[in-house]
């Protein structure tokens, strides 16, 4: 199974979990800081963490838009 890296649409977010990604990012950071990785692995893991951060940012932006829409809907009533 191939995972999509882009979080630009809701299909790629199916089964995706914000808290799980944050834990993965924290784990990557901990391994990097602890010196548990070879240099090449550090770069690979760093790239992975950056991608996860982008996914998290996209997720939060989408949810913020939903909240803004709901607030706007309430204000219109």
């Amino acid at each position: 199974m191939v995972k999509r890296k882009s979080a630009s649409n809701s299909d790629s977010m199916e089964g995706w979990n914000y808290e799980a990604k944050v834990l993965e990012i924290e784990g990557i950071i901990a391994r990097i800081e602890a010196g548990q990785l070879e240099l090449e692995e550090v770069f690979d893991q760093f790239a992975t963490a950056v991608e996860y951060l982008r996914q998290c940012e996209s997720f939060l932006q989408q949810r913020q838009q939903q909240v803004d829409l709901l607030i706007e809907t309430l204000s219109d009533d």
Side-chain angles (χ1 to χ4, degrees):
M1 184 172 139
V2 176
K3 288 187 179 181
R4 290 184 193 165
K5 285 195 167 191
S6 173
S8 60
N9 63 42
S10 59
D11 292 340
S12 65
M13 300 298 282
E14 187 175 321
W16 188 87
N17 183 284
Y18 178 84
E19 290 80 6
K21 286 297 175 193
V22 169
L23 287 174
E24 289 183 52
I25 293 165
E26 290 174 346
I28 290 169
I29 292 168
R31 287 190 302 276
I32 290 172
E33 288 179 341
Q36 296 176 346
L37 305 172
E38 298 292 327
L39 185 58
E40 185 174 346
E41 290 176 297
V42 169
F43 289 117
D44 290 343
Q45 290 294 295
F46 182 77
T48 299
V50 168
E51 181 58 35
Y52 290 167
L53 286 168
R54 287 185 179 133
Q55 291 174 8
C56 289
E57 180 180 29
S58 175
F59 173 83
L60 291 173
Q61 286 175 346
Q62 290 173 5
R63 295 312 180 263
Q64 182 63 51
Q65 289 173 352
Q66 289 176 342
V67 168
D68 291 345
L69 182 62
L70 289 170
I71 290 170
E72 185 178 313
T73 302
L74 287 173
S75 298
D76 291 344
D77 291 345

